[in-house]
Amino acid sequence: FPAPFWGASQHIIDAELVAVRRAGGAQLTAHHPRARAVLQSNSNLPMSDVSAPPSMECAGSASAPSPSTHGRKEGGRAVASSRGKVTDAGVRIGGSFSPAPDPAWVKSRNDVLEAVVARQAALLESVAKPPITVTLPDGSTRPATAFVTSPLDIATAISKGLAQACCVASVSYAKGERLPSPLEAGMVAMANGPDEEEGEVSEDWELWDLNRPLEGSCELKLHKFGDAEGQITFWHSSAHILGEALESLFGAHLTHGPPTDGGFFYDSFMGEAAVDKEKVGQLESRAKLIVDQKQPFERVVVSKEECLRIFEANPFKKALISSKLPDGSSTTVYRCGPFIDLCKGPHLPSTGCVKAFKLTKNSTAHWLGQAGNDELQ
């Protein structure tokens, strides 16, 4: 795709949302069984006029990812084995639920995280911040400062247009070059949902938030939307926007909302409440508000104990944390505005990078894809 490019995406609630970013370039349509991505040029074409060709609407097209890729399929979910069993089949953990806007636990959750952020900021003040060297793919180098300079700083120093076009970075530290961070000890990269495996943070090429400070001399790649890394980051951040809308409007208990090869979805528990036409309009309006606020994405390292406190009100997140995160370890959450999610990242710099949403479909599924478990939508 021509650069700079901010593309488009199809999103799912366990539903589908189209998120469109406009820039130069030709129109493209793509498909997977539950999502259609539409990338359009910088025209004034209304969203209602943008559609995929009929041949793209059928399930099982050549460009559709397999269920094992995105962990979702009609009628169920592919669940990968991991450190522990989340819940037994046929066990309902959602409890009673009545939709309500701005639930009190949103503030309580944020208060817990604020205390963690303040403590870590004080800890990082004492960390040495030596000069480092950042090597770009063309072999050129840029001076930087450990725990201060971010990939976005490097991109901005090259050109403002490059910084605006980038979605995410990849970083590779040579042996011995990555400086120890007091926050990263015992880190476990939690999967974005029960369909994925967790694992230790990679010591090779690692996807890196554009606004996350570098931790030593390294090689750096900057990814735009035309790169696979850029697309999956864009769709992942879009899922968090949807998650924030679901929580703030209805107090939904979110389960997981990963990116897929062609978009994303977010499963949520709302008891007997259904997503009707009125709720669709509310979600679209709230998503636009979240985008307009340009909420920065913030990565925060938390211990297992802190994680359980943060998600005290969400039985589904607690089940994932308890079964998959070893005692004594730490993981990451991401915050944008009032929204906090258990997440390995990375993310876009802010919600303002996604320009428009359109909810097109919603459906139901069972927690962990097992009949008899709580019904999600």
XYZ file of all heavy atoms in Angstrom, residues 12-110:
704
model
N -15.651 -7.185 15.009
C -16.755 -7.999 15.455
C -16.975 -7.775 16.930
O -16.053 -7.577 17.663
C -16.460 -9.492 15.190
C -16.000 -9.661 13.756
C -17.660 -10.350 15.483
C -15.521 -11.042 13.462
N -18.237 -7.839 17.381
C -18.520 -7.573 18.775
C -18.449 -8.879 19.542
O -17.958 -8.917 20.635
C -19.902 -6.935 18.929
C -20.226 -6.674 20.361
C -20.958 -7.634 18.297
C -21.543 -6.030 20.569
N -18.565 -9.853 19.147
C -18.855 -11.157 18.646
C -19.845 -10.774 17.613
O -20.980 -11.136 17.591
C -19.423 -12.029 19.731
C -19.411 -13.452 19.379
O -18.457 -13.890 18.795
O -20.345 -14.123 19.713
N -19.460 -9.829 16.985
C -20.132 -9.054 15.992
C -19.072 -8.519 15.073
O -17.920 -8.799 15.280
C -20.823 -7.891 16.675
N -19.440 -7.714 14.080
C -18.462 -7.171 13.167
C -18.585 -5.668 13.105
O -19.661 -5.141 13.033
C -18.631 -7.760 11.772
C -18.439 -9.264 11.787
C -18.776 -9.901 10.469
O -18.992 -9.170 9.502
O -18.845 -11.133 10.422
N -17.434 -4.994 13.150
C -17.388 -3.547 13.042
C -16.415 -3.194 11.939
O -15.379 -3.809 11.852
C -16.849 -2.928 14.338
C -17.821 -2.639 15.455
C -17.047 -2.016 16.600
C -18.879 -1.692 15.003
N -16.750 -2.206 11.155
C -15.810 -1.702 10.170
C -15.157 -0.450 10.725
O -15.846 0.454 11.151
C -16.520 -1.361 8.850
C -15.554 -0.751 7.862
C -17.147 -2.604 8.268
N -13.855 -0.423 10.764
C -13.124 0.778 11.159
C -12.347 1.243 9.946
O -11.588 0.478 9.396
C -12.170 0.469 12.303
N -12.548 2.468 9.527
C -11.944 2.954 8.293
C -11.020 4.116 8.586
O -11.403 5.062 9.244
C -13.024 3.412 7.291
C -12.374 3.946 6.027
C -13.951 2.269 6.954
N -9.798 3.991 8.142
C -8.869 5.108 8.184
C -8.594 5.493 6.751
O -8.426 4.656 5.898
C -7.573 4.709 8.888
C -7.800 4.221 10.288
C -6.552 4.267 11.080
N -6.156 5.668 11.257
C -5.153 6.028 12.042
N -4.462 5.150 12.657
N -4.838 7.295 12.158
N -8.534 6.774 6.475
C -8.405 7.239 5.113
C -7.001 7.770 4.838
O -6.414 8.453 5.663
C -9.425 8.334 4.832
C -10.860 7.843 4.965
C -11.828 8.995 4.800
N -13.189 8.539 5.032
C -14.013 8.142 4.079
N -13.625 8.124 2.836
N -15.235 7.752 4.361
N -6.501 7.461 3.651
C -5.226 7.995 3.188
C -5.136 7.694 1.707
O -6.086 7.203 1.105
C -4.070 7.369 3.950
N -3.966 7.987 1.116
C -3.813 7.743 -0.297
C -3.811 6.277 -0.633
O -3.534 5.444 0.194
N -4.122 5.949 -1.875
C -4.073 4.561 -2.284
C -5.363 4.081 -2.898
O -6.394 4.725 -2.822
N -5.300 2.925 -3.503
C -6.459 2.372 -4.180
C -7.369 1.647 -3.203
O -7.003 1.348 -2.084
C -5.989 1.397 -5.261
N -8.583 1.355 -3.686
C -9.527 0.624 -2.843
C -9.212 -0.867 -2.893
O -8.856 -1.421 -3.915
C -10.957 0.877 -3.330
C -11.997 0.080 -2.556
C -13.399 0.469 -2.958
O -13.757 1.624 -2.939
N -14.182 -0.520 -3.335
N -9.335 -1.507 -1.736
C -9.097 -2.942 -1.651
C -10.186 -3.561 -0.802
O -10.646 -2.969 0.157
C -7.746 -3.213 -0.977
C -7.476 -4.666 -0.580
C -7.174 -5.498 -1.817
C -6.336 -4.747 0.406
N -10.625 -4.750 -1.152
C -11.539 -5.476 -0.292
C -10.952 -6.831 0.014
O -10.243 -7.423 -0.791
C -12.918 -5.674 -0.960
O -12.733 -6.373 -2.190
C -13.585 -4.352 -1.223
N -11.192 -7.319 1.210
C -10.713 -8.630 1.627
C -11.783 -9.273 2.485
O -12.733 -8.628 2.894
C -9.404 -8.500 2.401
N -11.604 -10.557 2.799
C -12.667 -11.273 3.491
C -12.139 -12.388 4.367
O -11.119 -12.969 4.080
C -13.606 -11.884 2.441
C -14.674 -12.759 3.025
N -15.800 -12.241 3.612
C -14.776 -14.099 3.107
C -16.566 -13.249 4.035
N -15.958 -14.383 3.746
N -12.802 -12.609 5.496
C -12.702 -13.896 6.158
C -14.120 -14.262 6.582
O -15.029 -13.470 6.404
C -11.682 -13.873 7.304
C -12.105 -13.252 8.571
N -13.138 -13.733 9.335
C -11.603 -12.181 9.243
C -13.262 -13.011 10.425
N -12.359 -12.051 10.388
N -14.396 -15.452 7.123
C -15.767 -15.880 7.297
C -16.661 -14.912 8.051
O -17.854 -14.888 7.834
C -15.616 -17.200 8.081
C -14.305 -17.724 7.644
C -13.446 -16.511 7.455
N -16.124 -14.091 8.957
C -16.973 -13.206 9.732
C -16.526 -11.755 9.679
O -16.981 -10.948 10.476
C -16.991 -13.690 11.184
C -17.638 -15.052 11.294
C -17.352 -15.632 12.623
N -18.090 -15.535 13.593
C -19.333 -15.503 14.136
N -20.012 -15.451 13.961
N -20.003 -15.472 14.994
N -15.643 -11.455 8.766
C -15.184 -10.076 8.716
C -14.755 -9.688 7.321
O -14.158 -10.471 6.620
C -14.006 -9.885 9.677
N -15.077 -8.455 6.913
C -14.655 -7.927 5.631
C -13.866 -6.660 5.872
O -14.330 -5.776 6.589
C -15.880 -7.610 4.778
C -15.523 -7.089 3.390
C -16.790 -6.832 2.578
N -17.588 -5.775 3.138
C -18.870 -5.887 3.454
N -19.489 -7.030 3.298
N -19.544 -4.866 3.958
N -12.675 -6.566 5.344
C -11.877 -5.356 5.489
C -12.021 -4.514 4.242
O -11.963 -5.034 3.142
C -10.405 -5.714 5.709
N -12.227 -3.232 4.401
C -12.380 -2.324 3.277
C -11.367 -1.202 3.419
O -11.381 -0.489 4.405
C -13.795 -1.721 3.228
C -13.933 -0.786 2.041
C -14.837 -2.819 3.137
N -10.474 -1.104 2.474
C -9.496 -0.035 2.459
C -9.852 0.880 1.308
O -9.972 0.420 0.180
C -8.078 -0.590 2.257
C -7.733 -1.840 3.071
C -6.304 -2.232 2.781
C -7.941 -1.581 4.532
N -10.052 2.171 1.582
C -10.497 3.043 0.521
C -9.619 4.266 0.402
O -8.882 4.616 1.316
C -11.951 3.438 0.725
C -12.173 4.418 1.860
C -13.627 4.782 1.974
O -14.421 4.023 2.490
N -13.971 5.920 1.463
N -9.715 4.921 -0.743
C -8.875 6.079 -1.006
C -9.415 7.300 -0.281
O -10.449 7.255 0.381
C -8.837 6.345 -2.513
O -10.131 6.681 -2.972
N -8.725 8.406 -0.455
C -9.058 9.624 0.260
C -10.214 10.355 -0.406
O -10.188 11.558 -0.582
C -7.841 10.528 0.271
C -7.630 11.158 1.608
O -8.412 10.958 2.511
N -6.559 11.924 1.720
N -11.253 9.636 -0.794
C -12.405 10.244 -1.445
C -13.455 10.583 -0.412
O -13.318 10.299 0.763
C -13.000 9.270 -2.452
O -13.567 8.170 -1.778
N -14.574 11.169 -0.848
C -15.686 11.481 0.035
C -16.770 10.426 -0.047
O -17.922 10.674 0.292
C -16.275 12.849 -0.316
C -15.300 13.974 -0.034
O -14.626 13.947 0.990
N -15.208 14.930 -0.932
N -16.410 9.230 -0.499
C -17.375 8.154 -0.629
C -17.947 7.799 0.731
O -17.212 7.492 1.656
C -16.673 6.911 -1.206
C -17.536 5.697 -1.507
C -18.520 6.010 -2.625
C -16.673 4.518 -1.896
N -19.271 7.874 0.917
C -19.849 7.525 2.210
C -19.673 6.052 2.514
O -19.632 5.220 1.620
C -21.339 7.890 2.057
C -21.591 7.830 0.591
C -20.305 8.255 -0.066
N -19.604 5.724 3.800
C -19.381 4.349 4.192
C -20.468 3.431 3.680
O -20.240 2.272 3.399
C -19.283 4.238 5.713
C -17.968 4.745 6.262
S -17.765 4.366 7.994
C -17.709 2.592 7.948
N -21.702 3.934 3.566
C -22.796 3.086 3.106
C -22.603 2.633 1.676
O -23.207 1.674 1.221
C -24.126 3.838 3.219
O -24.093 5.027 2.441
N -21.720 3.339 0.937
C -21.470 2.996 -0.462
C -20.279 2.076 -0.628
O -19.932 1.695 -1.735
C -21.224 4.267 -1.289
C -22.468 5.109 -1.401
O -23.584 4.559 -1.251
O -22.329 6.314 -1.633
N -19.598 1.754 0.467
C -18.411 0.910 0.391
C -18.805 -0.526 0.683
O -19.339 -0.836 1.728
C -17.353 1.367 1.405
C -16.115 0.505 1.284
C -17.001 2.824 1.172
N -18.569 -1.437 -0.244
C -18.948 -2.830 -0.008
C -18.000 -3.749 -0.745
O -17.348 -3.370 -1.704
C -20.384 -3.084 -0.472
O -20.512 -2.829 -1.856
N -17.942 -4.982 -0.271
C -17.135 -5.994 -0.937
C -17.932 -6.611 -2.059
O -19.167 -6.627 -2.032
C -16.737 -7.064 0.062
N -17.288 -7.118 -3.094
C -18.004 -7.782 -4.156
C -18.724 -9.008 -3.638
O -18.304 -9.601 -2.649
C -16.885 -8.168 -5.144
C -15.632 -8.086 -4.363
C -15.832 -7.085 -3.294
N -19.864 -9.404 -4.288
C -20.635 -10.542 -3.791
C -19.808 -11.787 -3.573
O -20.058 -12.545 -2.648
C -21.696 -10.741 -4.888
C -21.843 -9.392 -5.515
C -20.477 -8.773 -5.465
N -18.811 -12.025 -4.383
C -18.013 -13.237 -4.243
C -17.258 -13.272 -2.930
O -16.856 -14.323 -2.473
C -17.012 -13.340 -5.408
O -16.125 -12.239 -5.384
N -17.048 -12.098 -2.335
C -16.333 -12.021 -1.076
C -17.234 -12.321 0.108
O -16.764 -12.422 1.225
C -15.720 -10.627 -0.902
C -14.574 -10.356 -1.856
S -13.237 -11.519 -1.636
C -11.846 -10.502 -2.025
N -18.534 -12.398 -0.086
C -19.455 -12.555 1.017
C -19.632 -14.001 1.458
O -20.167 -14.262 2.506
C -20.826 -11.985 0.614
C -20.825 -10.483 0.398
C -20.569 -9.744 1.689
O -20.970 -10.251 2.746
O -19.968 -8.670 1.643
N -19.175 -14.942 0.646
C -19.401 -16.338 0.988
C -18.334 -16.827 1.961
O -17.180 -16.456 1.868
C -19.385 -17.206 -0.267
S -17.850 -17.159 -1.165
N -18.749 -17.678 2.890
C -17.794 -18.237 3.838
C -16.897 -19.226 3.130
O -17.289 -19.848 2.157
C -18.524 -18.939 4.980
N -15.663 -19.359 3.643
C -14.758 -20.354 3.083
C -14.072 -19.916 1.818
O -13.621 -20.745 1.035
N -13.971 -18.589 1.578
C -13.238 -18.119 0.412
C -11.754 -18.375 0.602
O -11.283 -18.640 1.697
C -13.483 -16.618 0.208
O -12.929 -15.882 1.266
N -11.004 -18.241 -0.463
C -9.592 -18.591 -0.410
C -8.820 -17.743 0.582
O -7.813 -18.178 1.126
C -8.970 -18.429 -1.801
N -9.297 -16.515 0.820
C -8.568 -15.635 1.730
C -8.999 -15.779 3.173
O -8.518 -15.085 4.041
C -8.778 -14.164 1.307
O -10.152 -13.849 1.321
N -9.923 -16.684 3.459
C -10.407 -16.838 4.836
C -9.402 -17.599 5.681
O -8.890 -18.628 5.283
C -11.734 -17.592 4.831
N -9.107 -17.096 6.897
C -8.213 -17.837 7.782
C -8.927 -19.025 8.378
O -10.135 -19.035 8.512
C -7.870 -16.807 8.867
C -9.059 -15.911 8.913
C -9.561 -15.849 7.492
N -8.169 -20.036 8.739
C -8.764 -21.211 9.351
C -9.148 -20.911 10.780
O -8.625 -20.000 11.395
C -7.754 -22.363 9.340
O -6.653 -22.030 10.157
N -10.094 -21.673 11.349
C -10.471 -21.444 12.740
C -9.290 -21.510 13.695
O -9.270 -20.832 14.699
C -11.483 -22.571 13.023
C -12.064 -22.903 11.686
C -10.926 -22.711 10.719
N -8.302 -22.310 13.385
C -7.162 -22.417 14.291
C -6.339 -21.146 14.307
O -5.587 -20.890 15.226
C -6.268 -23.597 13.878
O -5.752 -23.400 12.583
N -6.478 -20.311 13.253
C -5.737 -19.066 13.201
C -6.329 -18.020 14.114
O -5.632 -17.354 14.858
C -5.709 -18.517 11.754
O -5.102 -19.494 10.923
C -4.940 -17.214 11.671
N -7.646 -17.852 14.047
C -8.248 -16.793 14.841
C -9.076 -17.314 15.992
O -9.680 -16.541 16.739
C -9.104 -15.865 13.960
C -10.166 -16.572 13.175
N -11.291 -17.096 13.773
C -10.273 -16.838 11.861
C -12.063 -17.637 12.836
N -11.466 -17.496 11.694
N -9.095 -18.629 16.188
C -9.709 -19.190 17.373
C -11.210 -19.089 17.413
O -11.810 -19.217 18.470
N -11.861 -18.801 16.295
C -13.292 -18.637 16.300
C -13.878 -19.350 15.108
O -13.363 -19.285 14.013
C -13.663 -17.158 16.245
C -15.130 -16.959 16.451
C -15.404 -15.499 16.767
N -16.765 -15.362 17.203
C -17.192 -15.662 18.411
N -16.348 -16.123 19.285
N -18.454 -15.519 18.748
N -14.968 -20.034 15.295
C -15.627 -20.707 14.207
C -17.109 -20.729 14.486
O -17.555 -20.520 15.601
C -15.095 -22.133 14.044
C -15.229 -22.999 15.309
C -14.585 -24.346 15.108
C -14.675 -25.198 16.368
N -14.038 -26.511 16.192
N -17.916 -20.974 13.462
C -19.352 -21.010 13.650
C -19.688 -22.098 14.658
O -19.274 -23.249 14.514
C -20.060 -21.280 12.323
C -19.831 -20.192 11.269
C -20.437 -18.861 11.677
O -21.326 -18.863 12.541
O -20.028 -17.832 11.135
N -20.417 -21.718 15.701
C -20.912 -22.703 16.648
C -19.946 -23.068 17.753
O -20.247 -23.904 18.576
N -18.773 -22.461 17.812
C -17.864 -22.838 18.893
C -16.555 -22.106 18.841
O -16.387 -21.152 18.110
N -15.604 -22.579 19.620
C -14.312 -21.923 19.713
C -13.225 -22.978 19.836
O -13.393 -23.972 20.528
C -14.293 -21.018 20.955
C -13.001 -20.298 21.148
C -13.040 -19.438 22.389
N -14.240 -18.657 22.455
C -14.478 -17.591 21.697
N -13.565 -17.201 20.843
N -15.589 -16.928 21.799
N -12.131 -22.759 19.144
C -10.979 -23.639 19.296
C -10.200 -23.187 20.512
O -9.798 -22.038 20.597
C -10.087 -23.567 18.056
N -10.004 -24.058 21.465
C -9.334 -23.693 22.706
C -8.000 -24.412 22.800
O -7.939 -25.638 22.799
C -10.206 -24.055 23.928
C -9.507 -23.625 25.213
C -11.566 -23.396 23.809
N -6.923 -23.645 22.859
C -5.590 -24.233 22.944
C -5.312 -24.679 24.364
O -5.737 -24.051 25.330
C -4.543 -23.202 22.514
N -4.580 -25.767 24.525
C -4.162 -26.182 25.862
C -3.155 -25.175 26.375
O -2.434 -24.559 25.620
C -3.521 -27.569 25.803
O -2.377 -27.549 24.981
N -3.104 -25.005 27.693
C -2.206 -24.018 28.254
C -1.812 -24.434 29.651
O -1.854 -25.605 29.999
C -2.880 -22.644 28.239
O -1.939 -21.658 28.557
N -1.449 -23.476 30.518
C -0.925 -23.819 31.824
C -1.951 -24.484 32.722
O -1.613 -25.225 33.595
C -0.406 -22.548 32.509
C 0.886 -22.068 31.903
C 1.512 -20.991 32.777
N 2.862 -20.721 32.350
C 3.173 -19.917 31.351
N 2.227 -19.305 30.697
N 4.423 -19.728 31.008
N -3.211 -24.148 32.554
C -4.212 -24.710 33.431
C -5.578 -24.637 32.812
O -5.822 -23.872 31.880
N -6.492 -25.425 33.329
C -7.855 -25.425 32.859
C -8.558 -24.193 33.399
O -8.500 -23.899 34.588
C -8.562 -26.700 33.337
C -9.857 -26.994 32.619
C -10.355 -28.372 33.020
C -11.584 -28.757 32.199
N -12.051 -30.116 32.566
N -9.257 -23.455 32.528
C -9.890 -22.214 32.941
C -11.125 -22.512 33.788
O -11.226 -22.119 34.939
C -10.260 -21.354 31.718
C -10.908 -20.059 32.173
C -9.011 -21.052 30.893
N -12.095 -23.221 33.210
C -13.283 -23.662 33.938
C -13.743 -24.982 33.352
O -13.434 -25.309 32.206
C -14.438 -22.648 33.834
O -14.725 -22.407 32.454
C -14.120 -21.339 34.529
N -14.489 -25.748 34.126
C -15.045 -26.991 33.624
C -16.210 -26.699 32.688
O -16.881 -25.666 32.789
C -15.543 -27.857 34.789
C -14.396 -28.353 35.661
O -13.337 -28.657 35.089
O -14.576 -28.415 36.889
N -16.456 -27.614 31.765
C -17.584 -27.471 30.846
C -18.886 -27.495 31.638
O -19.031 -28.227 32.615
C -17.565 -28.596 29.819
N -19.836 -26.683 31.208
C -21.139 -26.660 31.840
C -21.211 -25.843 33.111
O -22.232 -25.839 33.799
N -20.137 -25.130 33.436
C -20.115 -24.299 34.642
C -20.362 -22.849 34.253
O -19.655 -22.290 33.421
C -18.770 -24.423 35.377
C -18.717 -23.456 36.557
C -18.549 -25.846 35.849
N -21.376 -22.244 34.842
C -21.694 -20.842 34.556
C -21.105 -19.969 35.659
O -21.382 -20.176 36.839
C -23.203 -20.643 34.458
C -23.804 -21.351 33.238
C -25.310 -21.157 33.161
N -25.840 -21.797 31.965
C -26.013 -21.179 30.796
N -25.698 -19.892 30.684
N -26.492 -21.821 29.755
N -20.290 -19.008 35.259
C -19.605 -18.157 36.228
C -20.030 -16.706 36.125
O -19.612 -15.868 36.939
C -18.069 -18.263 36.069
C -17.622 -17.751 34.692
C -17.601 -19.691 36.297
C -16.108 -17.719 34.525
N -20.853 -16.359 35.127
C -21.217 -14.964 34.907
C -22.067 -14.360 36.005
O -21.963 -13.174 36.303
N -22.928 -15.185 36.637
C -23.790 -14.686 37.695
C -24.909 -13.822 37.152
O -25.149 -13.734 35.947
N -25.612 -13.137 38.062
C -26.698 -12.255 37.642
C -26.119 -10.999 37.014
O -25.042 -10.525 37.403
C -27.576 -11.887 38.842
O -26.812 -11.212 39.829
N -26.842 -10.439 36.043
C -26.325 -9.280 35.331
C -27.479 -8.416 34.849
O -28.441 -8.916 34.265
C -25.469 -9.711 34.126
C -24.907 -8.555 33.342
C -23.678 -8.014 33.679
C -25.617 -7.991 32.289
C -23.159 -6.931 32.984
C -25.110 -6.915 31.578
C -23.868 -6.384 31.927
N -27.362 -7.124 35.084
C -28.309 -6.138 34.562
C -27.501 -5.035 33.901
O -26.641 -4.422 34.557
C -29.179 -5.546 35.677
O -29.981 -6.540 36.277
N -27.725 -4.753 32.616
C -26.950 -3.713 31.933
C -27.092 -2.369 32.639
O -28.198 -1.967 33.008
C -27.578 -3.669 30.534
C -28.223 -4.996 30.362
C -28.713 -5.393 31.721
N -25.972 -1.699 32.841
C -25.970 -0.387 33.487
C -24.758 0.390 33.008
O -23.662 -0.168 32.930
C -25.949 -0.522 35.007
N -24.921 1.670 32.683
C -23.778 2.462 32.203
C -22.825 2.832 33.322
O -23.215 2.942 34.494
C -24.460 3.713 31.622
C -25.723 3.848 32.418
C -26.177 2.451 32.708
N -21.574 3.011 32.961
C -20.530 3.486 33.873
C -20.567 2.802 35.234
O -20.772 3.442 36.275
C -20.666 5.007 34.064
C -20.536 5.761 32.750
O -19.643 5.405 31.964
O -21.326 6.691 32.516
N -20.369 1.485 35.265
C -20.415 0.761 36.545
C -19.338 1.254 37.507
O -18.265 1.707 37.095
C -20.166 -0.688 36.133
C -19.464 -0.607 34.813
C -20.027 0.601 34.138
N -19.628 1.139 38.805
C -18.720 1.657 39.828
C -17.360 0.975 39.789
O -16.334 1.573 40.152
C -19.365 1.503 41.208
N -17.315 -0.294 39.341
C -16.047 -1.009 39.350
C -15.037 -0.456 38.345
O -13.845 -0.734 38.444
C -16.238 -2.504 39.136
C -17.126 -2.938 38.007
C -18.415 -3.366 38.098
C -16.786 -3.017 36.605
N -18.912 -3.713 36.859
C -17.930 -3.511 35.931
C -15.643 -2.732 35.881
C -17.957 -3.715 34.547
C -15.657 -2.929 34.498
C -16.804 -3.415 33.854
N -15.495 0.351 37.386
C -14.554 0.974 36.452
C -13.615 1.908 37.209
O -12.398 1.899 37.002
C -15.305 1.728 35.334
C -14.328 2.579 34.518
C -16.032 0.757 34.423
N -14.178 2.728 38.112
C -13.345 3.633 38.910
C -12.475 2.856 39.895
O -11.284 3.176 40.070
C -14.213 4.633 39.665
C -13.393 5.640 40.476
C -14.261 6.612 41.234
C -13.416 7.647 41.971
N -12.418 7.041 42.879
N -13.046 1.851 40.533
C -12.268 1.059 41.497
C -11.085 0.395 40.820
O -9.975 0.353 41.365
C -13.172 0.000 42.138
O -14.242 0.598 42.832
N -11.315 -0.126 39.646
C -10.249 -0.772 38.877
C -9.142 0.216 38.546
O -7.946 -0.080 38.676
C -10.866 -1.344 37.590
C -9.925 -2.038 36.651
C -10.670 -2.572 35.439
N -11.232 -1.495 34.609
C -12.018 -1.706 33.560
N -12.364 -2.928 33.213
N -12.479 -0.675 32.864
N -9.538 1.416 38.131
C -8.557 2.433 37.768
C -7.767 2.901 38.985
O -6.568 3.209 38.883
C -9.247 3.619 37.107
C -8.272 4.554 36.416
O -7.612 4.175 35.454
N -8.168 5.772 36.921
